[in-house]
Amino acid sequence: MRIFLCPTCENQVHFNNTQCVNCFSGLAYAPLEDEWAALGPDNLGAWNRECCTNREVIGCNWLREIGDQSGLCVSCLHTTKIPDMSDPTNTRQWARLERAKRRLFYGLFKFGLPLAREPDGIEGSLKFEFLGDEMRPDGKNERVVTGHASGCITINIEEADDAIREKNRTALGEPYRTLIGHFRHEVAHYYWDKLVVSEDLKNACRATFGDERQDYGDALKAHYANGPRQDWQQSYVSAYACAHPWEDFAETWAHYLHMVGGLETAYAYGINPKPTRVGAQHLVQLDNPYHVSDLEKLIEHWIPLTVAMNAMNRAMGLRDYYPFVWTPVISNKLKFIHDLIEAQ
Ligand SMILES: [Zn+2]
Ligand SMILES: [Zn+2]
Ligand SMILES: [Zn+2]
């Protein structure tokens, strides 16, 4: 993400701020323009556009689009189900999920990826449901499963609880589990449906990730029963990617978004580590990592950044920033994602 400045005083503004910490102007972000507006005393009037109604409820700091009738910003508009708000814990968790979702949308807009939202009930439009487990009358727990189906992304709100997410991460033996990671993974399934439509693309996708026509339910069951194949690290970015070609596609897609978003942020802060190979020189920063035709260039810049960031985290006793290893097979999969997004 790039660095934002307060339109009133030019102090740095962070993506989730609703107010400037220096001049105390109320602030709102216009996502499609990628600009900040200072609000008038009544929190209205920025460019004659109103703030998202969810500003008061969950601290959403985005402006509504011109002509909007819903009262919501373009991100909140895509959320069609929220948890029971009579419980303040649910409200906090929903707020965290929307924060991560706005960061997802920021990246999607930068890539110029289509974000269709048709009226409710139409199969295939992008929707988000943030739901919690519920106790049934028979005393059994109705479990909400995080996942994607026909353009609807469901996230169990417990994932917004750090302690629970960490417990889930350890139980599943994952090196990385975050809200933005969930969003970048799940939205990949939506874009698979939307973008991998021609027979040529489907065949190229099969040649890269495997045949997605194998039964999804059976494949997942087998994955959880037997674990990933022994040599998964050679060809998959994560153990879960082995579960089914759709999951491999989604995991690789998420990593592509991590990489480009990470590079944009590093450049904004002037972080440009030297490649670790002998005699290497600093690389010249890429103008706009969201639109680079040569994937090799992105990878060439990303690898030294992850090495440096891992070292920084270890210096603070934290887990690795980027606990993944790439191989030529994985780079080839990234190439498919890169070309698919570039074509948009
Ligand atoms: Zn300011
Ligand atoms: Zn909003
Ligand atoms: Zn998935």
Side-chain angles (χ1 to χ4, degrees), residues 198-217:
S198 73
E199 269 317 296
D200 282 356
L201 261 181
K202 278 194 176 142
N203 286 331
C205 198
R206 279 168 199 147
T208 312
F209 297 96
D211 193 336
E212 85 290 352
R213 290 167 296 190
Q214 59 184 278
D215 189 89
Y216 181 75

Side-chain angles (χ1 to χ4, degrees), residues 6-13 19-27 38:
C6 168
T8 309
C9 74
E10 300 206 327
N11 199 61
Q12 187 176 340
V13 171
Q19 192 180 41
C20 172
V21 293
N22 183 52
C23 73
F24 305 110
S25 297
L27 298 174

Side-chain angles (χ1 to χ4, degrees), residues 272-309:
N272 185 17
K274 206 152 65 171
T276 48
R277 60 176 189 276
V278 179
Q281 297 299 311
H282 278 288
L283 303 167
V284 179
Q285 290 190 5
L286 302 164
D287 282 341
N288 177 359
Y290 288 92
H291 298 285
V292 171
S293 55
D294 184 0
L295 173 69
E296 290 305 315
K297 283 241 174 308
L298 285 170
I299 296 176
E300 191 187 11
H301 285 239
W302 177 235
I303 301 290
L305 179 65
T306 59
V307 171
M309 290 302 298

Side-chain angles (χ1 to χ4, degrees), residues 139-160:
K140 288 209 179 102
N141 187 32
E142 186 90 54
R143 182 84 181 137
V144 172
V145 181
T146 292
H148 165 272
S150 309
C152 181
I153 291 170
T154 304
I155 309 245
N156 189 322
I157 55 162
E158 69 167 26
E159 282 292 314

Side-chain angles (χ1 to χ4, degrees), residues 114-133:
L115 249 188
R117 188 186 182 279
E118 294 145 53
D120 286 344
I122 290 182
E123 198 75 355
S125 63
L126 181 61
K127 295 191 270 287
F128 293 82
E129 296 184 348
F130 300 135
L131 302 170
D133 291 353

